[in-house]
Amino acid sequence: RINSNMWIEPRKGNVSMVFWETIATCGQFMFLKKKKGGLMSIVSTVRVVNPLDRDPSNFIILVTFEENNYTIAVSDSREAIEKNWTYLLSSIHPILEELNPEETEQFVLNKITGLATVEEGEEGRESKVEQFHTTFPSLIEDKLVTYYDCAFWEKGWITPARGVLFISDLSIAFKSPSYKTVVLFKDISSITKELTLGLSSNSIKIIAKDRPYWITIIQRDTVFNVIEQLWREAMNRWRDILDPTMRAKTNESVNKLQLDMSQKHGKFKKKFRIPEAPLIEHWATLWYKKKYHLGRMYFTENFFCYQSNANRENNLKVVIPWTKILDLKKSGMLLGVFQKSFTVKTMMGNEYYFCVSNRDFICDQILANVEEKNTYKEKKLAKSVDPTFINYNGWSMDEDTINQEDYQNSEEIQREHWDMYFAENGYLDTPLIVRRFEDLVLQIGIPDIYRGKLWQFCSGSMYSMCIRPGYYSDLRNSEHDEDTLSEIDRDLHRSLPKHPFYQTPQGIIQLRNVLISYSKRNPSIGYCQAMNIIAATLLLYNNEEEAFWLLAEICENIVPDYYAKGLELMGTIIDQQIFTGLVEAYLPQIKNHLDKIGIPVGILTLPWFMCLFIGYLPWDASMRILDCVLWKGKKVLFQIGLAILDMRQEEILKAKEGQSVTQLFKDGSFKTKDIFKVSFSKKYNSLPMHKISEMRNAQQFAYMSGLQRTTTMKKLRQIQKGYPKLKLNELESLFRQFAEFAPVTDKEEINRSIDVDSFKHILFAQLPALRDAFESDDTEKKNLIDALSTLIFEVSII
């Protein structure tokens, strides 16, 4: 049995051979021993310039590829790590000889990641937990997640302090022989990746209460991901308090392995666009275009998934709901060679040929899942009131458009491309996804005849709908909120009013059904203007149920929080702040001129983002944009926004007032071809998404801080009504002092932690003129204590 503590999460980075001697090599693997004395003895001095996180282990194993090198095992014991080396030679190296070069790196990383149960520095966890709580007794309720040896800096320090970084569910704590500090996640306003002295990419900068800290550590990306995850969880808890209607999204995970698994499952769901995590994984080979492709086969509760290990250019991927599998056949020969293989055939006639080592076991699992899910689907649909919703292809009612020669030529070209793709890679709903698919979506576009199905496929909404048979029908027929229905009814006839489909009773009824059903699914949103425009567009290409699930995918995953009423459209506002920053970086003249004439970028562009550009650009351009957004996400919105500003830069800079600028984007003169040429040019196709993510986190913190202050001031005004002797600014100052005096989150604890005499001391120190007025009325003081402690309890955000 391999000692799993020797395997580590693969750590990317070059290793200087000045410090190491080679014990053995085998193909791409290297077994190294740390040199004694010489240069290795001065590493501690080097740390002053480029601080390392810990002394390296005596032995390491590397794997090298054409562009990247990874450390995959470490140990101070040669005997222990030799077991890992033997395992590599006997079990992994022989497989690499059979793989294509582009598949080997991903195979090794997947394999080692599966073997690793800890990261470097995670040994001896129990003693570290005790050390953490002993060193930081105020954090006794915190649950230690992980810890690392690192270097820690504060502003003004000449050299860093070396010590241990403890990361708990609620805080970051650092301890060195001469220094210790605690940073609470609730106080962090920014986390960014930085260069050490402008040279080495191994630092993290944290700002908390306007105070900067730097962490320098070799495993920078791993540590950053952990801190960022926990910070987001803290902000999610804050969100839930600010808007109680939000469905809780916080992760209860508190150890490193669970955090890693949560992140891994999140990436899996995003990769396959399904709402489930994998239950079982198998190595498998797919036969495609007369070639074997090694990869991983995943079984989830409702789906059969496969992805090859090749790089992005040659990657293959397929998702098949269990309910879409028509037949399964075992086979033993391919091209005259004996194979343990089987063929999966789907309802649309797509066939996929797989080779696996444990074929009989896998086939039994597949057949059992197919039978179980088909039985469940039949039962759910049998209980549903009206499980089908007819789609009248509303787009085809716009005869003025579809009879135009240019439109027909464009549709024919697009359809030829897609027909060729489906013929080679399988038909909807279960085609094989190769790089060509993305090229078609982004560069060619989707013909109207396929748009509905491909929107469902690109967004993943068809998978959510697949696993919830009868859900929409039951929701549609449930009770609704009359106020929300009144809001919706006011906007129904303003939703694409010129389109023939919405000049019919059927179009209006279907739109009403989708919007009111979604308001019942997600009360935190209910209904918000702009949703009617999006839903109306979706219904032109889909039936009610399909449009409902597409709307849910857009509101909850593609542009989350854009329409959240309780958070005052937080997602949209934050993205406008981010977009303003991008305009300043890419188009500074436009940003400066818009500020000068009194129309901030966000004011101009907010409705573009809210409506996903529908109604603000020509119809064919809007549909192409929606194609891309459903496949690539909100990054496309930033690209399109920058592109159309760029295309009108000359006119914008000539404008003397804001109204002239807004008019530039209502004349319909944009050509779809030009928009996409600029949007996906080198300039805008490589937006720094990691920086945008960092900006979004910081902006979310700032936005919720402002919302928290607004909420607090509203409640203080209510309290003041009962104490007219206190001015609002005096009450606010008193509240701040009182909150610091009693910094606990339980209302009863607050009341127990301060008596009337203690409160007098604070009250009269702040407001000496009121001493006489309050001195004889302890009941009033108690009531004020109760009111303030209640407010402190309500705004205790983490």
Side-chain angles (χ1 to χ4, degrees):
R1 178 180 172 84
I2 298 297
N3 182 351
S4 62
N5 287 339
M6 299 304 106
W7 299 111
I8 64 169
E9 291 275 351
R11 172 159 56 81
K12 185 177 179 180
N14 294 320
V15 172
S16 174
M17 296 308 295
V18 173
F19 302 121
W20 301 89
E21 61 181 85
T22 302
I23 297 175
T25 62
C26 181
Q28 294 158 286
F29 298 105
M30 299 178 66
F31 185 6
L32 305 179
K33 176 183 178 182
K34 183 172 68 176
K35 291 181 179 179
K36 302 294 184 181
L39 286 173
M40 184 56 80
S41 65
I42 66 168
V43 168
S44 59
T45 304
V46 176
R47 287 196 181 97
V48 175
V49 178
N50 184 17
L52 301 176
D53 61 325
R54 69 197 302 268
D55 291 325
S57 301
N58 290 329
F59 301 92
I60 64 173
I61 297 176
L62 300 182
V63 59
T64 62
F65 301 102
E66 184 175 344
E67 296 182 359
N68 302 313
N69 300 327
Y70 299 87
T71 303
I72 58 175
V74 299
S75 180
D76 287 325
S77 166
R78 177 165 180 166
E79 180 182 0
I81 203 169
E82 279 182 342
K83 296 178 182 178
N84 298 63
W85 182 252
T86 301
Y87 178 78
L88 288 173
L89 300 188
S90 62
S91 299
I92 296 182
H93 178 66
I95 297 177
L96 298 188
E97 295 179 331
E98 300 177 6
L99 298 181
N100 298 322
E102 65 269 16
E103 296 176 329
T104 57
E105 181 172 352
Q106 194 60 49
F107 171 81
V108 171
L109 296 182
N110 287 344
K111 188 66 177 177
I112 300 302
T113 299
L115 291 171
T117 58
V118 297
E119 291 192 42
E120 274 181 290
E122 281 279 85
E123 305 88 352
R125 178 178 174 82
E126 292 79 8
S127 62
K128 288 293 185 184
V129 172
E130 183 178 353
Q131 180 188 350
F132 169 65
H133 286 136
T134 302
T135 306
F136 303 98
S138 65
L139 306 180
I140 192 66
E141 297 298 325
D142 285 25
K143 297 179 181 179
L144 184 62
V145 175
T146 188
Y147 50 89
Y148 299 89
D149 293 329
C150 74
F152 193 89
W153 303 63
E154 281 200 45
K155 188 175 182 179
W157 291 9
I158 298 175
T159 59
R162 292 192 62 227
V164 181
L165 181 75
F166 297 94
I167 304 175
S168 78
D169 56 340
L170 301 177
S171 62
I172 300 168
F174 175 78
K175 173 69 171 68
S176 73
S178 59
Y179 172 82
K180 69 177 182 178
T181 191
V182 173
V183 177
L184 301 179
F185 282 117
K186 73 173 186 175
D187 295 330
I188 293 176
S189 58
S190 174
I191 304 175
T192 55
K193 296 179 182 179
E194 303 280 330
L195 298 178
T196 302
L197 302 181
L199 299 173
S200 179
S201 301
N202 60 1
S203 289
I204 299 169
K205 181 180 180 180
I206 295 173
I207 298 178
K209 292 187 174 180
D210 298 324
R211 188 174 182 177
Y213 305 88
W214 288 266
I215 300 166
T216 304
I217 190 166
I218 287 180
Q219 307 105 305
R220 194 269 305 270
D221 290 347
T222 298
V223 177
F224 181 89
N225 289 339
V226 172
I227 294 174
E228 186 181 45
Q229 276 183 275
L230 291 168
W231 184 36
R232 284 178 175 171
E233 293 298 326
M235 286 197 286
N236 284 342
R237 289 192 290 272
W238 192 359
R239 280 166 37 127
D240 292 345
I241 291 173
L242 291 175
D243 182 10
T245 64
M246 292 291 293
R247 287 170 294 171
K249 297 180 181 178
T250 52
N251 186 350
E252 299 301 326
S253 302
V254 291
N255 67 52
K256 179 64 169 56
L257 194 59
Q258 288 173 313
L259 277 178
D260 287 343
M261 190 61 68
S262 175
Q263 187 175 43
K264 181 180 178 181
H265 287 171
K267 290 179 178 178
F268 176 88
K269 294 173 184 178
K270 186 175 181 180
K271 176 169 60 181
F272 288 105
R273 300 168 192 268
I274 61 175
E276 298 178 345
L279 301 175
I280 299 172
E281 300 180 20
H282 302 283
W283 287 104
T285 302
L286 173 67
W287 177 256
Y288 171 75
K289 289 193 173 181
K290 301 180 180 180
K291 184 178 178 181
Y292 285 113
H293 297 267
L294 180 65
R296 301 282 274 180
M297 181 184 294
Y298 305 90
F299 293 173
T300 76
E301 182 71 22
N302 288 282
F303 302 99
F304 172 110
C305 308
Y306 169 84
Q307 184 176 36
S308 70
N309 286 336
N311 59 31
R312 183 170 176 267
E313 295 295 323
N314 301 301
N315 193 257
L316 309 174
K317 183 170 59 180
V318 67
V319 176
I320 308 174
W322 298 122
T323 54
K324 299 290 184 179
I325 293 178
L326 179 65
D327 194 17
L328 178 74
K329 289 184 179 179
K330 298 179 183 179
S331 51
M333 299 291 290
L334 179 67
L335 301 178
V337 179
F338 179 76
Q339 303 278 0
K340 286 188 175 181
S341 58
F342 64 91
T343 303
V344 173
K345 185 175 182 180
T346 72
M347 298 289 188
M348 292 299 295
N350 302 333
E351 292 189 4
Y352 298 105
Y353 185 95
F354 295 98
C355 296
V356 291
S357 59
N358 48 346
R359 181 190 62 186
D360 292 344
F361 173 73
I362 289 175
C363 288
D364 289 344
Q365 285 183 314
I366 292 174
L367 291 172
N369 284 327
V370 170
E371 181 178 1
E372 177 187 347
K373 294 305 171 183
N374 278 324
T375 301
Y376 170 79
K377 181 179 179 180
E378 290 170 4
K379 288 181 179 179
K380 292 295 291 184
L381 290 180
K383 294 179 180 179
S384 182
V385 178
D386 44 1
T388 59
F389 305 92
I390 298 172
N391 176 23
Y392 294 98
N393 291 327
W395 61 270
S396 64
M397 295 175 65
D398 184 6
E399 295 181 359
D400 290 342
T401 298
I402 65 175
N403 289 330
Q404 293 177 9
E405 185 176 352
D406 288 346
Y407 170 85
Q408 293 174 355
N409 290 338
S410 174
E411 285 285 301
E412 184 178 356
I413 291 171
Q414 290 174 335
R415 184 166 182 172
E416 285 177 358
H417 281 286
W418 282 101
D419 285 344
M420 186 180 301
Y421 181 90
F422 293 141
E424 293 179 357
N425 301 288
Y427 295 90
L428 291 168
D429 301 342
T430 57
L432 191 67
I433 298 302
V434 300
R435 177 57 191 272
R436 176 64 176 158
F437 184 93
E438 181 166 308
D439 293 340
L440 289 177
V441 174
L442 303 185
Q443 298 172 17
I444 304 298
I446 300 174
D448 281 340
I449 194 70
Y450 293 147
R451 185 158 265 144
K453 278 294 183 185
L454 279 169
W455 277 357
Q456 297 172 52
F457 183 81
C458 288
S459 66
S461 68
M462 67 164 49
Y463 302 130
S464 297
M465 183 174 69
C466 175
I467 65 176
R468 303 290 295 273
Y471 175 85
Y472 174 71
S473 176
D474 295 341
L475 198 63
R476 196 183 80 163
N477 290 288
S478 63
E479 293 184 5
H480 56 258
D481 178 71
E482 289 297 333
D483 291 338
T484 302
L485 182 58
S486 296
E487 284 186 72
I488 291 171
D489 284 342
R490 282 196 297 270
D491 288 340
L492 287 177
H493 292 279
R494 289 181 267 184
S495 310
L496 308 183
K498 295 182 181 180
H499 199 286
F501 183 63
Y502 293 106
Q503 295 171 3
T504 68
Q506 188 64 39
I508 296 298
I509 290 171
Q510 289 190 2
L511 179 58
R512 189 177 193 258
N513 288 341
V514 169
L515 291 172
I516 192 62
S517 297
Y518 185 74
S519 73
K520 289 183 277 189
R521 168 182 168 82
N522 194 341
S524 67
I525 292 178
Y527 169 72
C528 175
Q529 281 189 335
M531 289 173 62
N532 60 314
I533 303 297
I534 295 170
T537 303
L538 301 176
L539 269 170
L540 294 177
Y541 301 93
N542 300 272
N543 67 34
E544 277 185 39
E545 185 177 24
E546 293 162 347
F548 166 84
W549 284 109
L550 270 165
L551 183 65
E553 190 66 30
I554 290 170
C555 294
E556 296 166 17
N557 296 314
I558 296 176
V559 287
D561 298 331
Y562 265 38
Y563 313 105
K565 281 189 173 181
L567 296 173
E568 300 182 12
L569 311 181
M570 180 177 72
T572 313
I573 302 299
I574 288 174
D575 274 0
Q576 293 318 294
Q577 294 167 337
I578 292 171
F579 185 67
T580 298
L582 292 174
V583 173
E584 187 171 19
Y586 288 88
L587 302 166
Q589 287 182 291
I590 290 180
K591 167 67 167 58
N592 294 335
H593 185 70
L594 291 177
D595 287 344
K596 182 179 177 181
I597 64 175
I599 178 170
V601 172
I603 298 297
L604 173 67
T605 61
L606 184 141
W608 301 356
F609 282 67
M610 287 281 288
C611 294
L612 309 183
F613 289 93
I614 299 168
Y616 291 89
L617 290 172
W619 181 257
D620 58 333
S622 298
M623 295 304 96
R624 286 284 307 278
I625 291 169
L626 195 50
D627 296 344
C628 298
V629 169
L630 293 174
W631 178 249
K632 293 290 287 183
K634 69 165 70 173
K635 175 190 175 184
V636 175
L637 299 178
F638 294 129
Q639 290 177 244
I640 298 293
L642 289 169
I644 62 176
L645 288 175
D646 196 341
M647 294 166 69
R648 289 290 182 269
Q649 176 161 305
E650 185 177 344
E651 294 92 329
I652 291 172
L653 296 180
K654 291 178 181 178
K656 304 296 184 183
E657 57 182 14
Q659 188 174 358
S660 301
V661 175
T662 57
Q663 201 61 39
L664 291 173
F665 301 94
K666 293 181 179 179
D667 60 7
S669 62
F670 286 98
K671 293 183 179 179
T672 303
K673 183 179 179 181
D674 294 338
I675 293 173
F676 278 80
K677 182 179 179 180
V678 178
S679 299
F680 291 94
S681 64
K682 186 177 181 179
K683 182 178 181 180
Y684 299 129
N685 200 34
S686 55
L687 295 180
M689 294 311 294
H690 67 286
K691 286 294 182 184
I692 289 175
S693 178
E694 291 175 0
M695 290 167 64
R696 179 170 288 112
N697 289 335
Q699 291 290 352
Q700 182 174 341
F701 178 88
Y703 185 86
M704 291 197 298
S705 294
L707 195 58
Q708 178 71 75
R709 174 170 170 73
T710 300
T711 302
T712 301
M713 292 305 296
K714 286 180 180 178
K715 292 183 180 296
L716 284 174
R717 289 189 184 96
Q718 293 174 356
I719 292 174
Q720 187 205 13
K721 291 178 181 178
Y723 303 90
K725 301 170 187 176
L726 292 174
K727 295 179 180 179
L728 183 62
N729 65 328
E730 293 172 333
L731 186 59
E732 182 184 6
S733 180
L734 179 62
F735 167 73
R736 301 298 174 199
Q737 286 198 28
F738 187 40
E740 290 179 6
F741 190 90
V744 289
T745 58
D746 185 287
K747 177 187 172 185
E748 295 302 320
E749 283 297 321
I750 292 174
N751 282 316
R752 286 198 297 268
S753 68
I754 181 170
D755 57 21
V756 172
D757 291 334
S758 299
F759 183 67
K760 284 178 185 178
H761 178 75
I762 300 173
L763 180 66
F764 299 141
Q766 180 66 29
L767 305 167
L770 298 181
R771 178 189 301 272
D772 296 338
F774 276 101
E775 200 161 40
S776 62
D777 193 353
D778 284 357
T779 300
E780 188 169 2
K781 298 185 190 75
K782 289 179 180 178
N783 290 338
L784 186 54
I785 289 174
D786 183 68
L788 290 174
S789 64
T790 299
L791 182 55
I792 292 171
F793 173 73
E794 290 175 350
V795 301
S796 295
I797 61 175
I798 303 297

